[in-house]
């Protein structure tokens, strides 16, 4: 199983210093990609990530938000994100996915092959990407899958979690915003 | 009873041409003041205004949104508002409350003495401000109060609706964002 | 327009004395038919009727619940209804629709031709049935339609409200429970 | 740590044959005590138990409902429960907690010392009661705690889950119904 791709982040919020996959090795990482103007992210997945942070995060689990802007770039600037995080009382760490010159889709989103927002990634203690889901996930399933990774021990790490799943969203639906073909190729 | 203060709007969205109180005379006006980064507006009052527009608006009732930015001005620009209205599928008319040089609170918000967002104003067929409420209102109450104004006839217009009510919000609470003392006086 | 059919009620709860259409003449009546084991009634329409009672009922508006049991008769007895009303904190008046010997559908439900539960009926100040709806209605629409009837004056009573509408429910769906053909004819 | 007390059940629904702790040994058991006229059970914990059943139950996890009637006994009879399970589309197994002559609180509820409904109990693969909670629990926490028990291996079974916790409900509150002192001693 391949390791999770490295992150390309141009700014961090709610973090004393930049985070990296290497720096979090040994912990289960909940990576949550969102956009501040994606309705399904605002109503569902951002508060859900905050719940993971408050209910489950500790020595074993780290929650990292990733602002993966692939549309409305002039509206979703870092200063706007900062105001958003303040008003929505987001306390977990959030990074700004680094823009790629001339491209709509930012660098980390591109490296992971994400189809839109929200996307949830679970990375195990050894740095492998074990689940990637575009769309909504139940709280109960997230709690269970995180805890399954927390309790893995060495060789018995089963690859039972599905990688790269999707809710099949097109455009911006209540559950999320999909990357259009044009945006992917721009 | 005093007439509703005129509007000062620097840009209109979802409107073929600028709106005014005079132009809407004869109709009941539902004026809905909000900010795109006010959580209580996004989750509750913007979709509620859209429901009024879809369920009750017609010849008799006009719904007008007003983007009254009094904080995070660099984040809530007209281009950001345009993206917001697009992603949240807002179809009713929205005006940008005109900034006042050197002041945090914009012109129309100041003229109405609004305490924060969301604020709902009901203006009767003759242009008088009959209800102004800061915070949340039940759908059932809004439906009833609008219809009470629709059915008023001439002299029997009772002033039963309360003007300038408030939920007593401080800062940004789940139900809305209040203007701070500093912002009011800046 | 025909007058609303009279009610056939075998027991009353939350009422000092039996109610009747005649006794309520002059007021707008919100008649709310439900079953205590109809999920859409419990989650949506019973609390909605209670909101009407608390927000809009007064001298002008009366809210009356009607327990129209057309299935599971052994489960939804008057003693069970009494426990239900107590536990769900229902404070408006509720009548038990009178059973008809050998028939599944009770008497008032039959007289009104109701298709299932929940059904909402609006009866105007003069006793005419102005709206009958099977399924869910928005709070905003209910508030508006009640207030439209409250403000009617004599001859200008327009028949704008639709009679006998339905959400097209079959069996028990999230929004309500429909009478089956067998139950109607039994 | 003491084993979970045995169950005393007078009737089973959605089960081909009676269940017992012994028969489920080796699996994690989610025991969910409720009453069909407890509002917090109907709106929250019964659908939550059904979600556990649909999302997490398999060879490793068994969901068992327990109808622990301690009030309104004449209303919450087995025939009423059967209608309730049918209308609410409950598909997991549910047992009727056996009445004790002359006592309000039934036998299993008494043996576990439950304070009211809903109460959630988690029993590990070896039959020990590891968590007992009166009131509401987040889906995310339930998912995590179940999976923690699923992944326990032999001696490393940590007793990290809290036994006999409570939301401190009195009477029937939105989150549940508490046993009154009189009912406990009756």
């Amino acid at each position: 199983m391949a390791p999770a791709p490295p992150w390309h982040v141009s700014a961090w919020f709610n973090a004393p210093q930049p985070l990296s996959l290497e720096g979090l090795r040994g912990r289960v990482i909940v990576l949550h990609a969102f956009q501040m103007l994606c309705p399904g992210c605002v109503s569902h997945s951002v508060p859900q990530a905050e719940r993971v942070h408050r209910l489950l995060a500790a020595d074993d689990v780290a929650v990292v938000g990733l602002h993966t802007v692939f549309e409305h770039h002039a509206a979703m600037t870092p200063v706007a994100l900062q105001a958003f995080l303040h008003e929505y009382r987001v306390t977990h760490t959030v990074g700004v996915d680094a823009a790629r010159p001339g491209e709509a889709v930012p660098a980390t989103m591109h490296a992971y092959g994400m189809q839109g927002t929200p996307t949830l990634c679970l990375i195990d203690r050894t740095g492998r990407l074990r689940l990637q889901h575009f769309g909504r996930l139940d709280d109960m399933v997230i709690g269970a899958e995180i805890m399954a990774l927390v309790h893995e021990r060495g060789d018995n790490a089963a690859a039972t979690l599905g990688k790269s799943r999707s809710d099949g969203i097109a455009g911006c639906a209540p559950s999320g915003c999909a990357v259009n073909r044009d945006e992917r190729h721009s």
Side-chain angles (χ1 to χ4, degrees), chain A:
Chain A
M1 195 175 299
W7 303 337
H8 305 277
V9 170
S10 55
W12 289 98
F13 295 101
N14 298 332
Q17 56 190 33
L19 298 186
S20 70
L21 278 168
E22 292 72 26
L24 295 169
R25 191 63 44 84
R27 302 167 74 180
V28 173
I29 301 171
V30 180
L31 180 69
H32 163 248
F34 73 102
Q35 294 180 107
M36 60 174 281
L37 288 180
C38 155
C41 300
V42 172
S43 67
H44 182 76
S45 69
V46 169
Q48 186 179 57
E50 185 71 12
R51 280 196 297 278
V52 176
H53 178 62
R54 296 188 178 186
L55 294 174
L56 302 183
D59 292 349
D60 281 331
V61 178
V63 176
V64 179
L66 188 66
H67 197 227
T68 53
V69 180
F70 63 84
E71 57 190 350
H72 305 303
H73 296 78
M76 293 189 272
T77 59
V79 71
L81 175 64
Q82 188 168 31
F84 173 84
L85 297 176
H86 174 76
E87 294 304 337
Y88 280 82
R89 315 269 164 96
V90 173
T91 67
H92 61 269
T93 299
V94 173
V96 176
D97 196 3
R100 295 182 299 153
E103 305 283 349
V105 172
T108 311
M109 186 178 184
H110 178 73
Y112 279 71
M114 293 177 188
Q115 298 164 263
T117 53
T119 291
L120 190 83
C121 299
L122 296 185
I123 299 168
D124 69 18
R125 293 176 185 274
T126 68
R128 295 174 300 174
L129 181 60
R130 297 289 293 280
L131 178 143
Q132 181 169 321
H133 183 89
F134 170 40
R136 290 203 186 187
L137 279 173
D138 285 308
D139 273 30
M140 193 177 280
V141 170
I142 290 181
E145 298 206 336
I146 290 172
M147 202 52 64
L149 293 179
V150 165
H151 283 265
E152 276 186 348
R153 290 288 177 271
D155 293 345
N156 70 342
T160 51
L161 306 179
K163 187 175 170 302
S164 203
R165 303 186 304 199
S166 160
D167 282 359
I169 300 162
C172 267
S175 58
C177 297
V179 178
N180 295 321
R181 203 154 302 184
D182 290 351
E183 291 165 340
R184 294 189 201 179
H185 293 284
S186 69

